[in-house]
Amino acid sequence: MIRRLFLYLLMLFVAFGCNLNYQPYDGIPESELKEDIIGLNGATIGNYNYLKDGYYQRNFHFFGEYGGDNVSLSGTTSDHLFFCYNYEHFPAMTNTTYFWEKAYQLMVGCNKVILSIDDNSSAELKQLKGENLYLRAQTLFHLVNTFGRPYYQSPETNLGVPMKLDDQVINVPTRGTVKEVYDRIIADLLQAEALMGSERSNIYASKEVAQALLSRVYLYMSGTPENPNLSYAQKAKEYAGKVIESDRYRLLGTEDYKTYFRKLPEQNTETIFAVKHNVDVDDRGWESIGSMYNHIASQGWGEMYASEPYRDLLDENAEDARHAFIEPQYESDGVTLKERNGYPIYYINKFSMQEERPTLSSPVYLRLAEMYLNRAEANVKLGLNDEAIDDVNIIRERAGLSGDALYSPNDLKGRESVFHVVLEERRLELAFEAQRKWDIFRNGLTLDRNYPGTHEQGDALLFVPPDHPRVVFYIPESQILVQDNLVQNP
């Protein structure tokens, strides 16, 4: 049994480890996997491992976070991450190229498992099929947000990404519309929800993990505050509620929350889904996500800091527990802030110090706090402002705030609307978790980057409207050159 599993994993390594330019790999034949629980489980583990790959995980983080307004780069770099940050995208960016390749390799790996399991199989096999459906849906969601325009902008005609639903390398589909891709994501997640149970730990997909992502997907489809889609807003609320009411997860207490991101996922009651990085195996060191945010024990670049507007928002309440995720660096006098290239150093520690390792972390993709905030935003778009404020206050109270720091329908603390209250709370709570950029653009807002950072240099794009071409990235040039059926983004 052990020898057989080893052989399967060896085959996976050989088949999945190569980088085949534009096409997905040609892995284990489906005939060798059909209804084989050991092989299918091994293949599924291989698919989860793609989420650890720096070409996938690190680059996707750049796309969602570096183009937002919570971060400030203190210098320039030869890494193409710089162009994710300053919106000077170009078709041959290595970040988009590598991410695209890994994403489609991951999807074909999922397809091999999905196509090998019938819907009337055993519960164990159904679970594996559901997990791979979830992984395929999540990957498509990441791809369509990176390369396709926000959903409210003509999803029936705007192009999304190719939907790879088979394991045949020679079949290279054209780009589906944004709507078609979202429809596929939802279909996969609904099927995954039906096939999976609740027994898996939070480093694997389960019924609740599918429900949590459905909540986010529907929220991204729910339109703008001025023109909401009530049907999708209701669905976002419904699925957030399912996760909250499942009673599987608990918000951490205020003090425990301050070290949230140092905890192992399985030991964290709030984490719904995380990609576990194991000590001595998965620490990416200087190539980790955290290496750009922090410098500890002579490890990490420590060049990307919390932005001035984010710090100003956080500093409105000195007792806010979320200060724990920002570490200002002082000179020996303990008063003067250290600087790099004239920019004050405010390290970010959400990707540091798991198991006391400076660059080790297990990135959290879904957590319970987001479900409360998804429900709050959905309620705003449904016109249920009081319910939205209730959920916002749950998150603020967990952050150690009380009394005048809490909102009421009659006291929005100078905010323009309840929607702005909710969006601001998302900014505070989910900062540096690769959501802020999309929260802005999917709601039809203009990104304001008129604050200190090296994005100010050259022909700076300090205000990015939601209809700007660079809200999305170019399809990788390497794909366009070899696949004449792919259409490039403007």
Side-chain angles (χ1 to χ4, degrees):
M1 183 78 70
I2 293 174
R3 180 175 180 273
R4 190 178 178 202
L5 178 58
F6 172 78
L7 288 174
Y8 270 115
L9 294 178
L10 179 61
M11 291 168 69
L12 283 165
F13 174 79
V14 173
F16 293 7
C18 55
N19 186 351
L20 297 181
N21 294 325
Y22 74 101
Q23 289 183 330
Y25 61 85
D26 187 12
I28 303 172
E30 181 185 340
S31 60
E32 294 183 21
L33 285 174
K34 191 73 173 177
E35 300 292 314
D36 185 332
I37 188 66
I38 296 176
L40 290 166
N41 190 62
T44 301
I45 291 171
N47 293 334
Y48 279 109
N49 279 335
Y50 267 114
L51 298 182
K52 295 184 184 182
D53 192 301
Y55 282 165
Y56 187 105
Q57 187 178 81
R58 186 170 180 262
N59 287 325
F60 179 70
H61 181 85
F62 295 160
F63 305 151
E65 192 59 45
Y66 284 15
D69 54 5
N70 288 337
V71 294
S72 175
L73 187 61
S74 61
T76 59
T77 172
S78 59
D79 191 314
H80 286 184
L81 67 86
F82 188 51
F83 306 111
C84 300
Y85 172 70
N86 66 8
Y87 280 82
E88 294 183 4
H89 305 168
F90 60 97
M93 286 176 64
T94 56
N95 308 100
T96 51
T97 299
Y98 292 147
F99 171 70
W100 180 286
E101 291 174 357
K102 291 300 175 184
Y104 280 97
Q105 288 175 6
L106 168 54
M107 278 199 289
V108 172
C110 292
N111 293 343
K112 286 188 176 293
V113 178
I114 292 166
L115 294 171
S116 298
I117 301 175
D118 296 330
D119 287 345
N120 59 356
S121 298
S122 68
E124 190 174 8
L125 285 170
K126 286 181 180 178
Q127 174 69 31
L128 290 178
K129 184 171 184 174
E131 289 181 41
N132 283 276
L133 283 163
Y134 171 83
L135 291 173
R136 185 171 76 181
Q138 178 181 266
T139 304
L140 276 171
F141 188 55
H142 290 171
L143 281 163
V144 76
N145 283 308
T146 303
F147 299 105
R149 300 203 64 81
Y151 192 85
Y152 79 93
Q153 297 177 8
S154 303
E156 297 88 356
T157 55
N158 281 333
L159 291 178
V161 293
M163 292 176 286
K164 184 68 176 169
L165 304 178
D166 60 41
D167 61 354
Q168 302 302 309
V169 173
I170 60 172
N171 177 19
V172 182
T174 59
R175 296 177 69 181
T177 66
V178 169
K179 183 181 187 304
E180 288 170 340
V181 177
Y182 268 80
D183 287 348
R184 178 76 260 167
I185 292 166
I186 290 171
D188 280 357
L189 289 174
L190 290 174
Q191 187 179 5
E193 178 192 20
L195 290 171
M196 292 189 292
S198 302
E199 295 76 22
R200 294 287 260 170
S201 77
N202 56 13
I203 61 173
Y204 300 101
S206 65
K207 179 176 70 174
E208 290 79 14
V209 174
Q211 291 169 342
L213 187 56
L214 276 165
S215 173
R216 188 189 293 182
V217 171
Y218 282 125
L219 192 69
Y220 277 40
M221 301 170 74
S222 67
T224 66
E226 294 75 22
N227 188 26
N229 185 306
L230 300 183
S231 176
Y232 292 139
Q234 183 62 44
K235 286 289 188 182
K237 175 181 179 177
E238 174 189 340
Y239 276 94
K242 284 185 177 184
V243 179
I244 293 167
E245 293 156 16
S246 73
D247 219 26
R248 279 198 69 185
Y249 312 100
R250 295 281 188 281
L251 292 176
L252 295 181
T254 302
E255 288 304 310
D256 209 17
Y257 173 58
K258 293 177 181 179
T259 58
Y260 185 115
F261 298 93
R262 300 184 184 186
K263 303 178 189 302
L264 292 172
E266 305 97 318
Q267 300 172 354
N268 196 320
T269 63
E270 185 171 331
T271 296
I272 299 169
F273 182 58
V275 180
K276 184 177 180 180
H277 285 227
N278 295 293
V279 68
D280 296 329
V281 177
D282 301 313
D283 189 348
R284 303 297 184 219
W286 290 74
E287 296 300 317
S288 67
I289 293 174
S291 70
M292 282 297 293
Y293 289 129
N294 215 333
H295 181 80
I296 304 171
S298 300
Q299 296 186 59
W301 303 102
E303 297 177 358
M304 183 72 82
Y305 310 142
S307 69
E308 182 178 82
Y310 178 79
R311 301 193 315 266
D312 288 345
L313 179 61
L314 186 62
D315 288 345
E316 288 186 9
N317 292 284
E319 68 274 25
D320 195 319
R322 291 166 291 207
H323 280 96
F325 305 127
I326 310 298
E327 298 180 357
Q329 301 299 298
Y330 295 100
E331 300 288 357
S332 56
D333 62 9
V335 176
T336 306
L337 278 167
K338 291 182 178 180
E339 294 185 348
R340 180 176 186 267
N341 296 329
Y343 300 105
I345 299 175
Y346 287 87
Y347 288 151
I348 298 161
N349 65 24
K350 281 192 174 184
F351 300 92
S352 305
M353 298 305 290
Q354 177 184 310
E355 299 173 83
E356 304 303 317
R357 300 297 181 94
T359 55
L360 181 65
S361 71
S362 294
V364 177
Y365 279 28
L366 294 160
R367 60 188 180 97
L368 186 60
E370 183 197 341
M371 296 300 105
Y372 284 103
L373 294 169
N374 287 359
R375 190 167 69 179
E377 184 179 331
N379 274 325
V380 168
K381 291 174 178 177
L382 292 167
L384 303 172
N385 287 343
D386 289 6
E387 292 183 32
I389 288 174
D390 287 344
D391 277 337
V392 167
N393 282 337
I394 287 172
I395 301 304
R396 290 179 73 77
E397 287 175 335
R398 191 277 290 279
L401 303 179
S402 60
D404 290 341
L406 301 181
Y407 294 102
S408 73
N410 299 319
D411 184 7
L412 301 182
K413 315 299 178 189
R415 273 52 180 179
E416 183 178 334
S417 66
V418 175
F419 169 75
H420 286 88
V421 166
V422 172
L423 194 65
E424 210 170 71
E425 200 62 30
R426 287 186 71 91
R427 183 180 189 182
L428 284 168
E429 180 65 25
L430 303 176
F432 322 118
E433 297 177 39
Q435 295 202 52
R436 175 61 177 171
K437 171 186 162 183
W438 288 306
D439 282 351
I440 294 170
F441 293 138
R442 66 180 174 79
N443 278 300
L445 303 177
T446 294
L447 173 66
D448 180 354
R449 307 187 90 209
N450 190 21
Y451 59 84
T454 53
H455 59 278
E456 293 182 301
Q457 299 176 4
D459 297 326
L461 188 60
L462 299 183
F463 298 94
V464 188
D467 58 354
H468 193 282
R470 294 290 70 76
V471 165
V472 298
F473 288 87
Y474 289 107
I475 302 297
E477 184 176 64
S478 59
Q479 307 296 315
I480 299 292
L481 290 174
V482 296
Q483 295 178 217
D484 57 10
N485 61 350
L486 283 182
V487 178
Q488 182 59 278
N489 283 329

